[in-house]
Amino acid sequence: MGILTAGIYQFDIMRGQVDANVRRALAGISRLSDQGADLAVLPEMFSSSFDYPALSEHVRKTPEIIELLSKAARAKSLAIAGSLPEADAGAIYNTLYVIGKDGDIAGKYRKAHLFSMIGEDKNLEAGTSAVVCETGGRRFGLMICYDLRFPEICRTLALKGAEVVIVSAQWPAARIDHWDTLLRARAIENQLFVVAANRCGQEGKLIYPGHSQIISPQGEVIAMSASPESATTARLDLTEIQKFRKQFDCLSERVPSIYEL
């Protein structure tokens, strides 16, 4: 139970082309399964990208996509995570779903930090909770893209018992050095594994370089997807978390009384 084979699949998401994107996602999941993955992580808004004018149409397909992912999870015996548009009570959220090997939804997280530079705050509703979910005996913390710039949320996930933080993203090339640095920082400061899938390709003027990666509690990049489209796996020994925390007991030696602003 201490070993988890995590997989990341990055691909070029075609804006608004839901059926084609889902086919590619399912093909990527199959590739990760063939590599022995227990977990497959997909990029942010992988079904449609941020196709705001047609988002109310795209979101209607999300239940069908969830069902396809559930069938794949059962057939391949692996958990699947990825961000999709979700409709609820007249609002649309950017939601990271985790589907367990049994095909059931193990958890979902609605993105709390909306990226105003691309109009997320004007077109989507913000989530209000930090989420840790459990499936297959492992505890996963959930984050989406811009959340990486807010260390408080990842710390909250660690304190809630997350062993692995999943990040689903569309992070552009212009700030990819920030992506690389922040992923390592979140892993190091919270002493847990980070499994992050970023998209690749180009949409309009924005270029996305991938750099999907899996990082150890000590900040070691143990896997990175360098090619434009790729399915990459790494074997995680979850017992490393407690071993490292016994050496450097940062979480229990916090002084919360001085952190309030």
Side-chain angles (χ1 to χ4, degrees):
M1 291 296 289
I3 301 299
L4 171 72
T5 301
I8 39 180
Y9 178 58
Q10 66 181 37
F11 66 102
D12 187 0
I13 302 167
M14 294 174 283
R15 184 184 178 104
Q17 298 185 39
V18 175
D19 293 340
N21 290 327
V22 172
R23 282 196 299 271
R24 293 182 76 180
L26 292 171
I29 290 165
S30 291
R31 289 170 62 186
L32 292 172
S33 175
D34 291 342
Q35 295 178 39
D38 301 305
L39 168 70
V41 180
L42 303 169
E44 179 181 18
M45 295 287 279
F46 71 85
S47 66
S48 63
S49 192
F50 293 94
D51 187 19
Y52 295 133
L55 208 53
S56 59
E57 177 185 344
H58 299 323
V59 77
R60 293 180 194 143
K61 293 188 175 182
T62 294
E64 177 187 337
I65 295 167
I66 293 295
E67 183 56 34
L68 290 172
L69 296 177
S70 296
K71 289 179 181 178
R74 288 192 294 268
K76 303 294 184 181
S77 188
L78 83 174
I80 300 170
S83 155
L84 292 162
E86 177 202 13
D88 185 38
I92 299 177
Y93 298 86
N94 179 349
T95 301
L96 175 55
Y97 288 89
V98 177
I99 298 170
K101 293 182 180 183
D102 57 5
D104 293 338
I105 296 174
K108 66 179 184 179
Y109 161 68
R110 292 169 169 173
K111 189 176 183 181
H113 301 101
L114 300 181
F115 192 40
S116 59
M117 189 177 286
I118 63 167
E120 262 193 298
D121 58 327
K122 293 180 176 62
N123 292 278
L124 297 166
E125 194 75 19
T128 57
S129 300
V131 176
V132 174
C133 65
E134 185 171 339
T135 184
R138 287 93 178 220
R139 293 181 62 79
F140 297 99
L142 310 182
M143 293 172 59
I144 303 175
C145 202
Y146 189 42
D147 287 332
L148 271 176
R149 293 191 180 273
F150 302 86
E152 298 90 346
I153 187 170
C154 198
R155 175 53 53 85
T156 299
L157 299 175
L159 294 175
K160 284 187 170 188
E163 301 167 289
V164 177
V165 167
I166 293 169
V167 184
S168 186
Q170 288 203 39
W171 199 286
R175 295 175 294 279
I176 201 62
D177 56 332
H178 294 186
W179 163 262
D180 293 339
T181 301
L182 291 169
L183 286 174
R184 293 189 66 207
R186 299 295 86 88
I188 292 168
E189 68 196 4
N190 294 296
Q191 301 171 308
L192 42 65
F193 287 96
V194 172
V195 180
N198 190 34
R199 72 165 288 185
C200 58
Q202 185 167 350
E203 186 173 317
K205 294 180 179 180
L206 287 176
I207 296 171
Y208 297 91
H211 279 228
S212 299
Q213 49 199 281
I214 299 170
I215 301 172
S216 80
Q218 300 197 49
E220 176 191 3
V221 179
I222 54 181
M224 180 182 284
S225 297
S227 57
E229 180 177 338
S230 58
T232 305
T233 59
R235 194 168 180 267
L236 314 185
D237 183 353
L238 300 184
T239 63
E240 282 185 33
I241 298 169
Q242 293 308 319
K243 289 177 183 177
F244 189 43
R245 288 179 180 177
K246 283 181 180 179
Q247 287 180 290
F248 300 94
D249 199 7
C250 298
L251 293 182
S252 69
E253 292 177 351
R254 295 165 58 252
V255 187
S257 62
I258 69 168
Y259 305 151
E260 295 182 12
L261 298 178

